[in-house]
Amino acid sequence: MKKLVAFLLAAMMCVTALTACGGSGGSSDSGSSSGSGEKAKSITVNIWDSNQQKGIQEIADKWTETSGVKVNVEVVDWDNYWTLLEAGASGGTMPDVFWMHSNTAQMYMENDILLKLNDYIDKDSSIDMSKYYEGVKDLYTRSDGNIYALPKDHDTIALLYNKAIFDKYGVQYPTDKWTWEDMYAAAKKISEDSKGDVYGIAMNTSNNQDGWYNLIYGYGGQVITDDHKGTTIGSDKAKAGMEMTRKLLTVGAPQSVVAETGTDSLFMSNKVGMITQGSWMINAFYTAESHADYAWALLPYADLNGNGTCEKEERWSAYNGLGWAASAKTKDPDSCYSLIAYFCGEEGQKLQAEKGVTMGGMKGVSDAFASAFSGMDVSPFLKAEEYSLYFRPYTRKTTVWEDALQQAGAFLDPWQKPDDAELMSKACDNAQKIIEEAIANE
């Protein structure tokens, strides 16, 4: 346990931004003892995304109608979420039910901090593990076959653009036929024609899942190999993807500006024509003041064979998925599992999509998500699945190498000096060594 706490504390300090205990003591009617067989009056659920709170609470309330157990869905911001969860893991009080993420799931599962769900699942006809997205399901299944979270959702990445800016500078809107080179040309025209008043694109290089990871995979590289034991980030294919990333940075907002303001704020301030973003952020743009000007498109593709047609393997989007987990020390494990099973069963998953919370972790339940945002077409997030998806790269200690890639000697240098192509190539070579060394030390 001391080893876990030390690692988690260090990991949380270096996690890049992505995406607690209730009241004064955390789990309502739970305490820190193992299950006592008593039915709780209420369950505390912790999440870190306020955009999802309303919808999740509504789904939980439907479960309460039949269970009689009240659910309190509480939002804790990303950094504090993990700090408080880590404190609970080291002997404090944990929430009853909460989200797990690919950055930290392995360490929590290895130390039996989460409720093991196998026996519950075996007796539950509403849960069929074969129906979930493989990457998400595998993430929350330990190497010995024990399952510690059920797939909550999955997400994909799309291109967001401002139609008013495109119109002003005479640039055609993105289409399904756009290559990364087309994106570069459009960004360049906006940046140059506006004389620096508007940037054609903004890329937050610390946001890997919705940004440069997709170019590496699009050009044939892998940040982490499928067996989670290696990387090809220093290969010629990966370097081609990062070279395209470098070109985009030369016609986009400088990283100093992005670091100060953020890509989302720059976009919503009409200072940027395009950004790439994940489906978990749709609601933020849907409710923005200028949302009528916003539109989504598929991520561009890499025309590797030069035939002018997008093949399935030439357009890639990352996908990730959260897991619904429960504390191994919750006072009422039966109710906690029942709630998780409702969230992750077909009815709960469809409600999640219909309410525009997120796309489901179960396959075939997310069609309604495309029409959940009246007046805004978000279908590109679903259309991305017609091409190639890869699960967000992770290893046992993801944050170790993920943070190191953002430092000097790795990608920080070409982020800050994108005009230097050789610097980007060297960064890829260094990144190969960083990841390999980190995996060797896991």
Side-chain angles (χ1 to χ4, degrees):
M1 179 64 73
K2 290 181 179 178
K3 180 181 178 183
L4 169 68
V5 173
F7 168 76
L8 289 175
L9 184 58
M12 291 313 110
M13 290 175 66
C14 65
V15 171
T16 53
L18 297 170
T19 330
C21 303
S24 60
S27 307
S28 302
D29 298 303
S30 290
S32 60
S33 60
S34 58
S36 64
E38 299 178 3
K39 189 172 183 178
K41 295 179 181 179
S42 64
I43 289 176
T44 297
V45 173
N46 278 184
I47 65 175
W48 61 73
D49 186 355
S50 59
N51 288 321
Q52 297 189 38
Q53 183 181 23
K54 181 175 182 292
I56 289 175
Q57 184 67 66
E58 290 174 353
I59 297 170
D61 290 344
K62 287 188 67 67
W63 174 80
T64 298
E65 291 174 6
T66 56
S67 70
V69 179
K70 183 180 179 181
V71 178
N72 301 309
V73 179
E74 301 175 355
V75 176
V76 182
D77 69 89
W78 171 267
D79 291 327
N80 284 319
Y81 181 95
W82 295 108
T83 299
L84 292 171
L85 203 61
E86 177 256 324
S90 65
T93 303
M94 298 181 74
D96 297 295
V97 174
F98 45 90
W99 287 348
M100 269 287 107
H101 187 277
S102 56
N103 274 4
T104 53
Q106 301 302 309
M107 294 301 295
Y108 276 91
M109 294 192 300
E110 288 174 10
N111 288 273
D112 298 320
I113 292 169
L114 310 179
L115 180 67
K116 188 172 73 171
L117 305 180
N118 297 60
D119 290 344
Y120 288 105
I121 294 170
D122 290 344
K123 299 173 184 177
D124 189 351
S125 60
S126 72
I127 299 298
D128 180 350
M129 296 303 293
S130 68
K131 292 184 177 181
Y132 296 99
Y133 284 85
E134 292 294 326
V136 190
K137 178 181 69 176
D138 292 347
L139 172 62
Y140 302 113
T141 302
R142 204 165 66 180
S143 58
D144 59 5
N146 287 329
I147 301 169
Y148 290 93
L150 286 181
K152 171 194 175 291
D153 56 28
H154 83 289
D155 48 50
T156 56
I157 312 300
L159 172 63
L160 178 65
Y161 63 99
N162 187 317
K163 293 182 290 184
I165 290 177
F166 273 64
D167 290 343
K168 181 176 181 178
Y169 296 104
V171 179
Q172 295 294 310
Y173 297 157
T175 71
D176 293 357
K177 297 180 179 181
W178 255 31
T179 65
W180 291 106
E181 291 287 352
D182 291 325
M183 183 178 182
Y184 167 76
K188 185 172 186 290
K189 187 175 191 311
I190 291 171
S191 293
E192 291 180 349
D193 288 3
S194 71
K195 294 180 172 56
D197 184 52
V198 177
Y199 300 109
I201 188 172
M203 299 180 70
N204 186 341
T205 51
S206 66
N207 288 352
N208 44 42
Q209 179 184 343
D210 58 271
W212 53 277
Y213 274 7
N214 300 296
L215 284 94
I216 287 179
Y217 283 81
Y219 281 82
Q222 288 185 304
V223 177
I224 297 294
T225 52
D226 294 337
D227 61 5
H228 304 284
K229 296 180 180 179
T231 179
T232 68
I233 200 167
S235 67
D236 289 343
K237 291 179 178 179
K239 286 182 177 181
M242 292 308 291
E243 167 60 15
M244 189 69 247
T245 302
R246 184 194 68 79
K247 286 182 61 177
L248 290 168
L249 289 171
T250 64
V251 295
Q255 287 304 291
S256 58
V257 175
V258 171
E260 181 178 346
T261 308
T263 56
D264 296 346
S265 294
L266 285 169
F267 184 87
M268 287 188 279
S269 299
N270 298 314
K271 295 295 292 182
V272 165
M274 291 178 282
I275 60 173
T276 55
Q277 191 50 276
S279 53
W280 62 89
M281 285 297 296
I282 293 173
N283 195 58
F285 299 102
Y286 181 66
T287 56
E289 182 178 353
S290 300
H291 67 273
D293 291 331
Y294 303 162
W296 297 94
L298 281 170
L299 284 180
Y301 75 99
D303 191 13
L304 300 179
N305 59 16
N307 68 354
T309 301
C310 181
E311 314 294 344
K312 183 176 181 179
E313 64 276 9
E314 292 178 327
R315 193 195 313 272
W316 288 76
S317 168
Y319 84 99
N320 195 14
L322 305 183
W324 278 116
S327 168
K329 296 181 179 180
T330 183
K331 190 173 183 179
D332 187 0
D334 292 349
S335 292
C336 287
Y337 172 76
S338 177
L339 175 60
I340 289 173
Y342 185 70
F343 280 147
C344 301
E346 187 169 349
E347 180 177 334
Q349 291 275 285
K350 286 184 175 179
L351 283 171
Q352 182 176 239
E354 290 170 6
K355 293 177 179 294
V357 177
T358 55
M359 297 184 289
M362 182 183 289
K363 298 176 183 177
V365 300
S366 300
D367 288 348
F369 185 78
S371 56
F373 302 89
S374 178
M376 178 178 279
D377 180 11
V378 301
S379 62
F381 290 103
L382 292 171
K383 290 175 66 176
E385 300 186 32
E386 299 173 11
Y387 296 91
S388 295
L389 299 180
Y390 65 94
F391 195 71
R392 184 178 184 270
Y394 70 92
T395 63
R396 183 169 175 268
K397 297 181 180 179
T398 304
T399 54
V400 173
W401 54 264
E402 199 173 57
D403 181 67
L405 295 184
Q406 305 295 331
Q407 307 305 315
F411 290 121
L412 178 63
D413 304 322
W415 294 159
Q416 296 179 336
K417 299 178 180 178
D419 290 326
D420 190 338
E422 183 60 28
L423 202 56
M424 179 62 83
S425 178
K426 289 180 180 178
C428 290
D429 291 333
N430 292 340
Q432 180 83 22
K433 296 174 184 177
I434 288 170
I435 296 176
E436 288 177 343
E437 181 177 348
I439 292 175
N441 290 329
E442 290 183 344

